Amino acid sequence: MTGYRVSLWALGFLAFAASASAQSLLTNGGFETPFGVWDATWRLDQTASSQGTFSFSSTHVHSGTSALALVPNPRNSTSLRLSSGYSLAQVVAPAGLAGKSLYVSGWLQADPGSVAVLRIYSVGTDGTVSFHEMRQPAGTAMTLHRDIFTIPSTAAPAFLLVGCIVEGTSGAAYFDDVALSVGVPPSWLEAAGTPDPGPALRATVSVDAGRVLRHLPATLYGNNLEWVWNGNGAWNPAAGTFDPAVLGLTQTLAPGLLRYPGGVYADFYHWADGVGPQSSRPLVQSMPGGPVDVVRVGTGEALDLAQRAGANLMITVNVVTGTPQEAADWVRYVNAGGRKVTYWELGNESYATGSTGPVGTVVLTPDVYAQKVIDFAAAMRAVDPAIQIGAIADENYSRTAPRVFPDWTGQVLRAAGNSIDFLAVHCAYAPALSVDEGWNARTVYSAMLAAPVEILGQLKDLEARIASTVPSRAGKIQIAVTEWGPYFDYRPSSRFVDHPKTLASAVFTASTLAAMMQSQATGIAEYFKLSDANFMGAVGLRQGGFVPKASMYALELFTRHFGSELVASTAVGPAYDSPSVGWVDAMSGVPYLDVVASASADGSTLYVMGINKHFDRPIRAHITLANFSPASTGAAFTLSGRAPDANTGTSLVPAGTVWAAQAQVAPYNRFNLGSPTEVTLAQQTISGVTGGFDYTFPPSSVTSLVLTRK
């Protein structure tokens, strides 16, 4: 990635790289052989040599007798976004590695005041740098980090670097058993997974109903409606109307906002193809080389579904093959029909330069995209000055994900920040297994459930970045997470492709939505997607009819059994550590119990949402209420099931596709036993409610406690 001091550091290794051995990817990765500054394996970054010292630790070791210790001083960097940290690196010759996936791993630990960072770089012959990193904050034990880094095939790599870096100004960072290989290492083979049954864990929860943190707009409870495949089943062409099951479930779900017409399909959509009588609409391609169909869910149908569900509509405008005039005419068409669309998003994922095929054709450089934002916004506001316009930001996934346009967001904000009202991101997909690393299902699920911690941090970072880049618009540009949800893999060969339908994925859905609520600047969130006959969607097919998936129940808990005013709450209880899996970084101290609380607009009702991420054990929480005297009885609405991999029995189509056998969560193995009774949303009355009372949250569950004021 360019734009970092690492590019200068990398270029300093060019002469040495030519002699690096191609026989072994890394040498002395266990740091058992001491070395000096100019060793032929690990070398000090001279540009940061005054920022710390290195030594060999015999106490912070994973295996063997020695580990690398990096000790920073006050001159060291506190943010690798801004400058280089004290570091050592090893050069790897790139012969034959272009386009290959490399498996990188290491055991990391850090003292308070430091962060241990393991980073792999690919330096192209054209000077471009791409990288990926794994980060370990302060903790009490060595933690395994492992991930997969794909070397770009677009530019021949001149060489590779694997760097051990310390971020911070005190303490120390420790590294051991750093490894890099082509092909899955034997140590990555799947383990059985260890259940943890036993008595209820204990936690304490405090809620202050008198401390309102923010208003929760209905737009946080949005969803995605694509035009393709009859709105992913929402429209029944034989009957010429909406599918009754999808319509009824959408009304039950009560989304505050529907995003239309895509996804990526928005980049090829021309709105005039989807208006007028359906019988006269033309056949169009969903994307270059894609299927040909009639747009049966056009603008009018999308507006109708939104209206019947009590929702508003967000329209994603085609800025790739469309024009400002076409977009302005779309605004005019909607307004002429007497139905207002407030939110207009300009484009989908035009920064996705790693994509191939049709998706790769939507790529725009940030300067070209920013100018389009300015031009489209001006033309559309000339028709309706009151509309809200959003640009897309490349803040998706981990901040260290390789990017060809490393400063996409900064360039767009600097050039077009005064033209927008919101910034759209897709930062809340997890765990995203681009390659099967051999993890067992319990480990994959644990990483997925840790991801909301990282997602909240990314949203807060983006809020600060907006404020620092466009100070005049600080507090005026909101964040819109226009796609989010559980996502594992898209390939039929994956052991996890159909896992977004499970109870654990629903727990992730609830935890992620709770995290987004805690980001003050996040005012829009749209789950991906409403209905789907395959592995995504809140609603799926069971025996030919649409039924809820587990995540629909999680969303419903927030739309039906949660208040409009977020109030202060804290939860203190047991936590766990999670390794790096897919797009999720390794994390320490992830709480098993998430809690968010809210009040009704008039303050008469208090809602306490408890999310138990533990697969095997309930959590008994002592809940203390401040500034709220509850009636002695209340209600509990609980989403739970027979196991983390339990599901409602939806199935994948098309029937001719060969889908891989899906992983299961030991020892329950409920994935293949899906049915309406495997996952349920149930209501029960609770008694003995006082200003301080106990409640037990079941394993793998989401519960809304609804309390009325006495």
Side-chain angles (χ1 to χ4, degrees), residues 436-580:
D436 190 344
E437 303 175 18
W439 291 114
N440 64 78
R442 297 179 73 95
T443 303
V444 171
Y445 278 12
S446 294
M448 174 178 66
L449 295 177
V453 176
E454 189 171 27
I455 291 165
L456 176 57
Q458 292 168 2
L459 291 172
K460 289 185 175 180
D461 285 349
L462 181 56
E463 179 179 356
R465 193 173 185 194
I466 294 170
S468 63
T469 307
V470 196
S472 63
R473 299 285 289 157
K476 299 177 182 178
I477 298 176
Q478 65 177 329
I479 298 171
V481 187
T482 54
E483 291 183 18
W484 69 276
Y487 165 72
F488 292 77
D489 204 338
Y490 68 92
R491 295 166 299 181
S493 60
S494 170
R495 296 179 299 134
F496 289 95
V497 63
D498 200 23
H499 278 253
K501 71 183 183 183
T502 67
L503 177 60
S505 288
V507 174
F508 165 80
T509 295
S511 181
T512 301
L513 189 49
M516 291 189 289
M517 289 177 175
Q518 297 171 67
S519 164
Q520 291 284 343
T522 303
I524 296 171
E526 291 159 311
Y527 184 85
F528 194 83
K529 47 193 166 177
L530 177 61
S531 59
D532 190 14
N534 269 322
F535 54 88
M536 302 295 281
V539 174
L541 283 174
R542 183 176 66 219
Q543 299 178 350
F546 282 99
V547 299
K549 296 182 182 180
S551 281
M552 175 180 159
Y553 292 136
L555 297 168
E556 184 182 339
L557 278 170
F558 283 95
T559 60
R560 296 286 184 180
H561 308 294
F562 205 60
S564 60
E565 312 304 312
L566 186 71
V567 301
S569 64
T570 59
V572 178
Y576 69 96
D577 297 338
S578 174
S580 169

Side-chain angles (χ1 to χ4, degrees), residues 7-20 43 91-94 122-129 156-161:
S7 58
L8 299 177
W9 170 35
L11 294 175
F13 279 99
L14 275 171
F16 180 74
S19 63
R43 301 183 69 194
V91 180
V92 177
S122 172
V123 182
T125 54
D126 59 358
T128 60
V129 179
F159 60 93
L160 307 175
L161 287 174

Side-chain angles (χ1 to χ4, degrees), residues 37 52 79 104 111 134 145 182 190 204-205 224 231 258 361 373-374 406 436 456 473 477 496 501 513 528 543 552 697:
V37 170
S79 171
V104 58
D111 294 334
M134 292 163 279
H145 293 249
V182 179
E190 180 170 8
T204 58
V205 173
N224 273 260
L258 288 177
T361 66
V373 170
I374 295 169
D436 190 344
L456 176 57
R473 299 285 289 157
I477 298 176
F496 289 95
K501 71 183 183 183
L513 189 49
F528 194 83
Q543 299 178 350
M552 175 180 159
F697 298 98

Side-chain angles (χ1 to χ4, degrees), residues 619-630:
I619 298 178
R620 186 166 182 82
H622 183 71
I623 302 171
T624 302
L625 309 178
N627 296 305
F628 191 88
S629 297

Side-chain angles (χ1 to χ4, degrees), residues 212 214-218 220-221 513 517 555-567 596-609 704-707:
V212 177
R214 66 172 295 192
H215 173 71
L216 299 174
L220 279 173
Y221 309 125
L513 189 49
M517 289 177 175
L555 297 168
E556 184 182 339
L557 278 170
F558 283 95
T559 60
R560 296 286 184 180
H561 308 294
F562 205 60
S564 60
E565 312 304 312
L566 186 71
V567 301
V596 284
S598 64
S600 59
D602 62 4
S604 64
T605 307
L606 182 65
Y607 305 83
V608 181
M609 190 79 75
S704 178
L705 303 178
V706 182
L707 312 175

